[in-house]
């Protein structure tokens, strides 16, 4: 046991003395969360809105009043014909235009059913979606206030000129995404690199010609990175809860348990990489190409899986981080319980068993 | 019982095992003996050492170290041998002291327990014990590596080219250290590309292209060199060498430090050679009898 | 015969902070000479050699290489010297021919010249059959001989060799020295460092550095006489043992 601890101590020296790498490992996840967080949480406040009111009656002016009274929007321009919409966007007068058709008041009065149109500048699709959501909410609110006094329910259909963007379905999808990335990066890449480094410098040779069980060497390497991961995940969760207001809706214990499962998956992967490579460079390339990129591209975090071509959808099934990502989204964002993520958990467990047994099978107690 | 017994050991590399690194090698090493494996880079010394230290599996043949089989009892061997690989294999970002402590713990021992064994060596680097191993000079790294390899009081010590790239002074010091370790009863197998270090070993084997050319004490090996060697020098050594190689009573001639060595065929005479060389216009000619060295033996064995 | 001096240094010094790596060295090397540059690890050999090759600027002192000042004419110096070291010599993943072509190309030689000379060189080294093989697949000794030939391919006035024969077998080592003799006979000055003391005997003159200074410089015969030593090995040990600098 003393042997084992002295190994872990040594690993900590390595990490501690390579300050630059250590700061990157600890700082990068935080930076990612903050950057993603502020880039994607578009809190709408006093956003300029232009209005094309072709109806010009009581109902339309009530809606306009409601919008300009809200703290989200400022009416900065009243347009007179549809041609002006494009110019509004070009001159940055507003990023959203509410169009009330000429039949709006009449339709509402006679058939209790009318349509409005929201046109947005979709050059930044994320912001456009957010603006539409806010504007729609105000209109729905107005519709409900009418309903409270009416016998037949009123219905205002909001037609938006931008299709619903499924990528923003869970607005805070980046938190689970970053968690998957960090685990992958530290547990897989760093574990692989640090083992391969010992091969490169020749210290592995000396270690093997000693009474230490080779498996112990590897376990000792995993522990410091496991701890580093725990620190990172805690940081990410604290940041997301307290700075970004992304709550943990589900069970924290479940989330932790699933994260440990994924950590073991990643460590097994790192171990497997280290046993098939001889240079740090190769280990790095395999980790980047084989794991990091698929995590970013195919886990559903950056690009929604349902929008992918069939081939990529199939490939995404073998990317472990895809399953972990789904689990975190379900537990953390949607607040679901274990029963709804059974499939994902099983798939991930299966992958872990497979990877771990492959890694152990390939582990060398000699040099070749 | 012999400390190391090697029987017909072979090692091949490559997809079809086409690269033969060690070919059918056999030798024994007695306890507390310094056994030198002498040969140039690529002779197969490292592969041989790696097999004996259980890092590689042989393709054929067998060997035992201190009575344990290198394949079956590899765990037992790992407990009782010390190994210093060819390149510096310590943790560069750990200090001298941390490295030594670490190696002591992994062998389940402490520095204090075996301090008497490493004292002579460690005392020279102790003033720098807080320094990172990566910041040490070549000679000091070598001493630290040896201390780490000795910390568990191994029965057999394997040193793979410990003096390569090390200057003549540090080399001398290193061999003095090995002599003292031998007195403590440790068997030492050491490989080197420097022929002049052969004389410092109790017994040696000459290795070239995976094969052992000759094994024995240095005197046995040079003693088996039966031909006469003449040392020849002249004002222009380059021209002299060309003339020597052109002379038909000479089997082989090569540069050898201050003198050229001429290996004479039987029935040749020194006088005839002198006459021939003077006729060729060599000035300040000196010819003398030379006792064959290990390098002479090696050259002869390589060429035959 | 001052006009045949090809390397001249006067009080050449290199400091790194408080540390004087090379301490006021002065010596001359003559054209076509084989000059052995010996010293223990850390005596300052590599630093001195780097200055002479124009790779690092001295802190003080003067030196001319092939008539060019080492402060002002480093580019001209680089064109008139060749360099080979044990560690770096050729690209292992290029073939023999590609390596030669690459190095010759650096010195701006014409294609025709390169082609003719490559053929000649391969013939001299008996490497015709290996011309299209990767350098990495050749035995060490062949690589070193090839590396030397490449270093003098552009017919430099001086060639610097940094431990060219480390780890090479005794036969190849002698073949390598034959190449050195040939180069020297052609008038190329050879500046060589080595850990093999018998090789020091092959040099016309030998300098021995201790603690950044040149403590001895003479022919091997004269050195052995002065130090009443039987071999260069003894001369070297006598001098190197005086070193006070820890070889770091």
């Amino acid at each position: 046991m003393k042997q084992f601890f002295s190994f872990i101590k040594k690993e900590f020296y390595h990490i501690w003395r390579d300050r630059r790498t250590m700061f990157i490992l600890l700082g990068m996840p935080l930076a990612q969360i903050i950057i993603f967080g502020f880039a994607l949480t578009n809190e709408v406040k006093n956003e300029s809105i232009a209005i094309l009111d072709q109806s010009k009656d009581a109902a339309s002016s009530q809606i306009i009043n409601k919008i300009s009274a809200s703290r989200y929007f400022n009416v900065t321009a009243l347009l007179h014909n549809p041609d002006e919409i494009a110019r509004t966007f070009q001159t940055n007068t507003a990023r959203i235009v509410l169009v009330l058709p000429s039949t709006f008041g009449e339709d509402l009065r006679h058939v209790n059913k009318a349509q409005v149109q929201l046109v947005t500048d979709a050059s930044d699709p994320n912001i456009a979606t957010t603006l539409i959501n806010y504007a729609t909410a105000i209109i729905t609110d107005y519709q409900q206030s009418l309903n409270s006094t009416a016998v037949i329910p009123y219905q205002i259909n909001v037609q938006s000129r931008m299709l619903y963007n499924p990528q923003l379905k869970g607005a805070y999808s980046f938190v689970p995404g970053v968690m998957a990335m960090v685990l992958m990066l530290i547990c897989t890449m760093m574990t692989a690199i640090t083992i391969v480094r010992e091969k490169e410098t020749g210290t592995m040779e000396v270690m093997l010609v000693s009474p230490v069980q080779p498996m112990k060497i590897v376990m000792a390497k995993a522990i410091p990175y496991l701890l580093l991961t725990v620190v990172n995940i805690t940081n990410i969760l604290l940041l997301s809860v307290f700075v970004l207001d992304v709550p943990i809706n589900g069970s924290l214990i479940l989330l932790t348990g699933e994260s440990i499962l994924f950590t073991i998956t990643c460590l097994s992967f790192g171990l497997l990489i280290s046993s098939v490579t001889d240079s740090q460079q190769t280990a790095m390339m395999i980790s980047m190409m084989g794991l990091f990129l698929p995590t970013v591209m195919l886990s559903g975090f950056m690009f929604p899986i349902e929008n992918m071509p069939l081939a990529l959808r199939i490939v995404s099934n073998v990317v472990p981080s895809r399953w972990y990502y789904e689990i975190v989204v379900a537990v953390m964002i949607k607040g679901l319980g274990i029963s709804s993520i059974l499939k994902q958990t099983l798939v991930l467990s299966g992958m872990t068993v497979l990877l771990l047994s492959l890694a152990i099978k390939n582990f060398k107690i000699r040099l070749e | 019982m012999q400390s190391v017994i090697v029987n017909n050991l072979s090692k091949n590399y490559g997809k079809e095992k086409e690269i033969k690194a060690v070919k059918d090698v056999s030798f024994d090493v007695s306890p507390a003996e310094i056994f030198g494996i002498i040969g140039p880079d690529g002779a197969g010394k490292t592969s041989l050492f790696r097999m004996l230290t259980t890092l590689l599996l042989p393709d054929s043949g067998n060997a035992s170290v201190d009575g344990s089989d290198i394949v079956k009892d590899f765990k037992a061997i790992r407990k009782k041998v010390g190994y210093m690989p060819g390149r510096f294999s310590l943790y560069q970002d750990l200090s001298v002291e941390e490295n030594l402590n670490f190696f002591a713990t992994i062998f389940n021992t402490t520095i204090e327990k075996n301090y008497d064994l490493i004292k002579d060596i460690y005392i020279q680097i102790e003033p720098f014990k807080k320094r990172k191993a990566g910041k040490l000079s070549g000679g000091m790294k070598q001493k630290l590596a040896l201390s780490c390899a000795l910390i568990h009081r191994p029965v057999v010590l394997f040193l793979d080219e410990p003096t390569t790239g090390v200057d003549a002074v540090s080399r001398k010091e290193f061999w003095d250290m090995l002599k003292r370790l031998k007195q403590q009863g440790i068997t030492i197998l050491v490989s080197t590309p420097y022929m002049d270090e052969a004389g410092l070993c109790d017994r040696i084997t000459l290795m070239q292209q995976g094969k052992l050319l000759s094994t024995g004490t240095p005197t046995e090996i040079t003693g088996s060199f039966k031909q006469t060697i003449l040392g020849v020098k002249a004002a222009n050594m380059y021209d002299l060498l060309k003339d020597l190689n052109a002379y038909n009573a000479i089997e082989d001639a090569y540069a050898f430090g201050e003198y050229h060595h001429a290996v004479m065929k039987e029935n040749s005479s020194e006088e005839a050679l002198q006459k021939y060389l003077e006729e060729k216009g060599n000035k300040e000619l000196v010819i003398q009898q030379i006792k064959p060295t290990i390098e002479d033996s090696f050259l002869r064995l390589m060429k035959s | 015969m001052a006009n045949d001096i090809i390397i001249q240094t006067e009080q050449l010094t290199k400091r790194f902070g408080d540390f004087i790596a090379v301490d006021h060295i002065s010596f001359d090397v003559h054209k076509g000479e084989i000059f052995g540059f010996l010293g223990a690890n850390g005596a300052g050999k590599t630093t001195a050699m780097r200055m002479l090759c124009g790779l690092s600027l001295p802190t003080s002192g003067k030196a001319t290489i092939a008539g060019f000042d080492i402060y002002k004419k480093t580019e001209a110096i680089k064109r008139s010297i060749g360099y080979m070291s044990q560690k770096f010599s050729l690209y292992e993943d290029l073939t023999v021919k590609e390596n030669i072509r690459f190095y010759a190309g650096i010195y701006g030689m014409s294609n025709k010249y390169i082609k003719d000379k490559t053929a000649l060189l391969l013939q001299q080294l008996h490497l015709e059959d290996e011309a299209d093989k990767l350098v990495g697949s050749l035995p060490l000794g062949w690589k070193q001989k090839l590396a030397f030939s490449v270093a003098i391919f552009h017919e430099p006035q001086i060639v610097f060799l940094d431990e060219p024969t480390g780890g090479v077998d005794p036969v190849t080592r002698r073949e390598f020295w034959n190449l050195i003799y040939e180069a020297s006979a052609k008038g190329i000055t050879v500046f060589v460092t080595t850990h093999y003391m018998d090789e020091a005997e092959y040099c016309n003159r030998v300098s021995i550095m201790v603690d950044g200074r040149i403590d001895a410089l003479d022919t091997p015969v004269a050195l052995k006489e002065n130090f009443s030593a039987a071999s260069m090995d003894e001369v070297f040990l006598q001098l190197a043992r005086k070193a006070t600098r820890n070889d770091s």
Side-chain angles (χ1 to χ4, degrees):
Chain A
M1 220 42 208
K2 199 182 163 205
Q3 232 180 22
F4 191 59
F5 279 120
S6 104
F7 252 108
I8 296 176
K9 196 166 98 186
K10 175 191 79 93
E11 289 313 316
F12 272 110
Y13 281 144
H14 289 322
I15 297 173
W16 180 246
R17 286 184 185 161
D18 187 3
R19 297 283 165 89
R20 209 175 313 167
T21 310
M22 192 183 71
F23 283 128
I24 291 174
L25 291 182
L26 285 173
M28 197 199 56
L30 301 186
Q32 270 180 342
I33 284 286
I34 291 169
I35 291 166
F36 277 113
F38 286 106
L40 293 183
T41 35
N42 306 294
E43 203 187 329
V44 174
K45 208 185 259 177
N46 294 328
E47 181 68 34
S48 304
I49 188 167
I51 290 172
L52 174 60
D53 185 3
Q54 291 166 322
S55 172
K56 292 192 197 301
D57 54 25
S60 72
S61 44
Q62 271 173 337
I63 283 194
I64 295 170
N65 283 339
K66 192 125 183 123
I67 283 176
S68 65
S70 84
R71 64 189 175 97
Y72 306 117
F73 293 104
N74 270 344
V75 179
T76 50
L78 291 168
L79 311 180
H80 305 290
N81 66 64
D83 300 341
E84 287 174 280
I85 295 175
R87 229 191 54 226
T88 311
F89 294 145
Q90 283 153 13
T91 57
N92 280 331
T93 317
R95 281 193 280 198
I96 181 165
V97 176
L98 171 65
V99 182
L100 299 154
S102 52
T103 55
F104 175 74
E106 228 177 279
D107 287 351
L108 199 63
R109 252 179 285 127
H110 298 299
V111 291
N112 284 14
K113 193 173 173 186
Q115 287 207 334
V116 297
Q117 196 181 27
L118 285 167
V119 187
T120 50
D121 174 1
S123 57
D124 184 336
N126 299 333
I127 290 179
T129 318
T130 317
L131 291 178
I132 284 176
N133 289 340
Y134 276 85
T136 310
I138 295 171
I139 294 162
T140 315
D141 200 36
Y142 168 72
Q143 173 201 317
Q144 276 165 359
S145 70
L146 290 181
N147 285 350
S148 59
T149 55
V151 186
I152 308 159
Y154 288 94
Q155 201 179 341
I156 302 174
N157 284 340
V158 178
Q159 214 186 39
S160 66
R161 278 283 300 275
M162 224 189 71
L163 286 171
Y164 186 57
N165 186 351
Q167 137 187 20
L168 290 169
K169 205 163 14 178
Y172 303 111
S173 61
F174 61 92
V175 174
V178 171
M179 278 169 71
M181 251 158 68
V182 166
L183 281 168
M184 206 94 231
L185 193 76
I186 297 180
C187 294
T188 307
M189 191 157 96
M190 291 314 293
T191 310
I193 286 179
T194 159
I195 296 173
V196 174
R197 183 186 297 144
E198 296 228 13
K199 282 196 201 173
E200 256 185 21
T201 55
T203 42
M204 192 54 108
E205 215 173 310
V206 182
M207 288 296 109
L208 288 177
V209 188
S210 79
V212 187
Q213 288 150 282
M215 220 43 206
K216 252 191 198 168
I217 305 176
V218 173
M219 297 296 278
K221 287 207 165 282
I223 285 179
Y225 288 102
L226 198 69
L227 274 177
L228 212 61
T229 312
V230 170
V231 172
N232 267 320
I233 293 295
T234 314
N235 282 343
I236 292 173
L237 291 179
L238 286 175
L239 258 187
S240 64
V241 171
F242 293 106
V243 179
L244 302 175
D245 289 330
V246 182
I248 300 170
N249 290 323
S251 148
L252 184 61
I253 296 168
L254 182 60
L255 186 62
T256 312
E258 296 283 353
S259 296
I260 289 172
L261 174 63
F262 185 60
T263 305
I264 300 171
T265 322
C266 293
L267 287 173
S268 318
F269 223 140
L271 183 54
L272 184 61
I273 293 174
S274 75
S275 58
V276 295
T277 53
D278 286 318
S279 80
Q280 292 185 60
Q281 211 181 351
T282 321
M284 178 102 118
M285 288 298 279
I286 297 182
S287 312
M288 281 308 251
M289 294 304 179
L291 303 167
F292 198 64
L293 284 183
T295 301
V296 174
M297 313 297 249
L298 297 176
S299 67
F301 148 51
M302 286 283 189
F303 310 102
I305 290 170
E306 51 266 45
N307 285 9
M308 287 176 192
L310 181 69
L312 283 182
R313 279 209 302 267
I314 293 169
V315 173
S316 79
N317 284 318
V318 297
V319 178
S321 41
R322 178 215 155 141
W323 303 103
Y324 177 66
Y325 173 76
E326 286 185 10
I327 290 171
V328 180
V329 169
V331 177
M332 188 173 166
I333 310 292
K334 297 185 185 157
L336 301 172
I338 178 85
S339 56
S340 56
I341 49 164
L342 266 180
K343 178 182 148 204
Q344 283 87 342
T345 311
L346 277 175
V347 171
L348 207 53
S349 311
M351 284 180 168
T352 310
V353 171
L354 182 73
L355 284 171
L356 195 61
S357 41
L358 267 179
I360 291 172
K361 190 173 157 271
N362 277 296
F363 187 79
K364 296 174 186 102
I365 54 162
R366 292 190 169 83
L367 282 180
E368 45 160 33
Chain B
M1 187 189 66
Q2 294 292 72
S3 248
V4 177
I5 303 166
V6 179
N7 291 320
N8 309 99
L9 214 55
S10 295
K11 179 76 203 172
N12 309 316
Y13 298 110
K15 280 200 188 91
E16 276 131 46
K17 300 272 178 196
E18 71 280 9
I19 304 158
K20 306 206 176 326
V22 177
K23 300 176 198 163
D24 203 21
V25 161
S26 304
F27 62 89
D28 291 354
V29 183
S30 310
E33 188 174 46
I34 299 184
F35 187 83
I37 296 165
I38 319 254
D41 284 6
K45 304 190 297 287
T46 300
S47 297
L48 178 58
F49 269 36
R50 285 182 171 167
M51 283 190 281
L52 295 180
T53 50
T54 76
L55 285 170
L56 290 179
L57 290 171
D59 286 304
S60 64
N62 59 66
S64 68
V65 175
D66 192 44
S68 308
D69 184 87
I70 57 165
V71 178
K72 285 197 303 263
D73 311 324
F74 75 95
K75 281 188 182 154
I77 292 183
R78 289 179 184 191
K79 287 199 181 87
K80 54 193 177 190
V81 303
Y83 174 48
M84 191 171 142
R87 53 191 172 154
F88 181 65
S89 301
L90 299 176
Y91 296 99
Q92 314 250 5
D93 56 344
L94 299 191
S95 70
V96 168
E97 213 177 13
E98 285 161 356
N99 263 301
L100 200 57
N101 261 318
F102 174 70
F103 280 95
T105 345
I106 64 166
F107 281 100
N108 288 316
T109 180
T110 57
I111 298 181
E112 292 72 34
K113 221 160 149 190
N114 292 317
Y115 191 71
D116 60 299
L117 189 64
I118 61 160
K119 193 177 150 222
D120 281 348
I121 306 158
Y122 187 58
I123 211 143
Q124 302 173 51
I125 46 172
E126 209 164 12
F128 310 100
K129 64 181 180 189
K130 299 279 176 215
R131 196 182 283 188
K132 302 257 160 58
K135 296 249 157 64
L136 295 176
S137 67
M140 290 205 283
K141 275 183 185 164
Q142 190 198 33
K143 282 169 195 154
L144 176 60
L146 184 60
S147 303
C148 289
L150 282 171
I151 194 68
H152 59 295
R153 199 177 281 277
V155 186
V156 184
L157 186 59
F158 291 90
L159 308 170
D160 193 7
E161 298 208 11
T163 53
T164 296
V166 174
D167 67 64
V169 180
S170 303
R171 270 164 61 189
K172 199 119 197 151
E173 282 177 8
F174 195 80
W175 279 95
D176 291 341
M177 290 188 263
L178 295 192
K179 286 236 169 71
R180 286 197 293 272
L181 292 174
K182 168 192 156 75
Q183 282 158 11
Q184 304 247 18
I186 297 176
T187 308
I188 301 170
L189 272 81
V190 55
S191 73
T192 176
Y194 298 101
M195 302 284 151
D196 54 347
E197 291 181 344
L200 302 165
C201 304
D202 297 322
R203 284 197 313 134
I204 55 167
T205 184
L206 304 180
M207 195 168 187
Q208 166 77 3
Q209 288 173 347
K211 279 192 298 215
L212 299 189
L213 303 175
S214 180
T215 308
T217 65
T219 356
E220 276 165 14
I221 288 181
T222 53
S224 70
F225 200 111
K226 296 296 182 208
Q227 286 133 305
T228 310
I229 297 182
L230 294 177
V232 190
K233 89 175 167 179
N236 188 325
M237 295 295 280
Y238 186 49
D239 288 344
L240 174 68
L241 189 60
K242 283 193 211 160
D243 293 339
L244 287 172
N245 272 316
Y247 189 56
N248 55 21
I250 287 177
E251 198 176 282
D252 192 14
Y254 40 85
F256 207 101
E258 190 180 358
Y259 288 83
H260 289 328
H261 283 190
V263 182
M264 307 304 290
K265 288 184 183 162
E266 275 176 57
N267 312 321
S268 59
S269 82
E270 205 177 309
E271 291 72 34
L273 176 66
Q274 172 131 22
K275 197 161 161 255
Y276 160 79
L277 289 173
E278 275 166 359
E279 274 169 15
K280 283 279 178 183
N282 287 287
K283 305 241 160 48
E284 297 165 41
L285 207 58
V286 180
I287 300 181
Q288 61 180 46
Q289 285 270 346
I290 295 277
K291 264 177 70 186
T293 65
I294 294 294
E295 193 155 348
D296 288 307
S297 309
F298 198 100
L299 284 164
R300 190 187 52 135
L301 291 165
M302 260 184 88
K303 286 173 182 172
S304 63
Chain C
M1 287 265 288
N3 58 350
D4 82 334
I5 288 177
I6 194 131
I7 299 176
Q8 183 168 40
T9 76
E10 225 176 282
Q11 307 291 324
L12 197 66
T13 302
K14 179 83 186 183
R15 283 168 190 274
F16 297 106
D18 289 340
F19 180 72
I20 306 172
V22 175
D23 191 1
H24 298 90
I25 58 169
S26 306
F27 65 91
D28 296 339
V29 179
H30 301 271
K31 187 169 162 51
E33 193 173 22
I34 301 175
F35 190 86
F37 198 60
L38 310 187
N41 294 346
K45 277 179 309 183
T46 309
T47 315
M49 197 137 140
R50 283 204 181 132
M51 288 193 282
L52 298 180
C53 293
L55 295 175
S56 102
L57 277 180
T59 315
S60 66
K62 278 194 274 187
T64 53
I65 308 295
F68 300 110
D69 184 90
I70 60 166
Y71 290 95
K72 295 174 203 144
K73 303 270 186 174
T74 47
E75 288 315 306
I77 290 175
K78 284 176 191 169
R79 259 192 298 274
S80 36
I81 63 170
Y83 177 81
M84 174 206 160
S85 87
Q86 185 194 356
K87 291 178 196 102
F88 172 78
S89 37
L90 299 168
Y91 292 99
E92 306 247 308
D93 53 350
L94 295 186
T95 66
V96 172
K97 254 190 187 161
E98 285 162 353
N99 264 294
I100 299 176
R101 181 163 298 250
F102 170 73
Y103 280 102
I106 290 179
Y107 293 95
M109 287 183 254
S110 74
N111 282 341
K112 162 118 182 50
Y113 182 85
I114 294 176
K115 212 177 151 196
D116 294 349
K117 202 157 175 213
T118 303
L120 188 69
L121 193 152
L122 291 174
Q123 193 196 337
Q124 279 170 349
L125 293 175
H126 308 293
L127 280 176
E128 290 112 318
D129 296 338
E130 276 75 24
D132 294 314
K133 281 192 187 157
L134 295 184
V135 163
S137 69
L138 299 180
L140 176 73
W142 291 19
K143 271 189 232 172
Q144 298 301 80
K145 282 193 281 180
L146 179 63
F148 176 72
S149 305
V150 168
I152 58 167
F153 194 83
H154 61 292
E155 294 174 353
Q157 300 194 55
I158 311 164
V159 63
F160 289 90
L161 307 174
D162 193 3
E163 287 181 39
T165 54
V168 175
D169 71 71
V171 173
T172 315
R173 217 144 60 80
R174 285 174 172 80
E175 288 169 357
F176 192 91
W177 272 91
N178 278 339
L179 291 176
I180 292 183
Y181 281 127
E182 269 170 41
S184 155
K186 273 194 271 178
I188 296 177
T189 307
V190 180
F191 191 96
V192 58
T193 72
T194 179
H195 280 316
Y196 292 97
M197 286 306 139
D198 60 330
E199 292 187 347
E201 305 267 9
Y202 307 154
C203 302
N204 297 117
R205 283 192 306 147
V206 170
S207 78
I208 299 176
M209 270 186 101
V210 179
D211 289 352
R213 298 177 313 271
I214 290 186
D215 272 15
L217 198 175
D218 216 324
T219 61
V221 177
L223 283 174
K224 279 182 284 187
E225 249 170 52
N226 291 346
F227 288 85
S228 357
S231 67
M232 278 306 292
D233 201 26
E234 275 181 42
V235 175
F236 183 81
L237 286 176
Q238 280 188 36
L239 281 168
R241 283 218 172 100
K242 294 194 304 190
T244 51
R245 185 194 282 180
N246 202 303
D247 56 343
S248 58

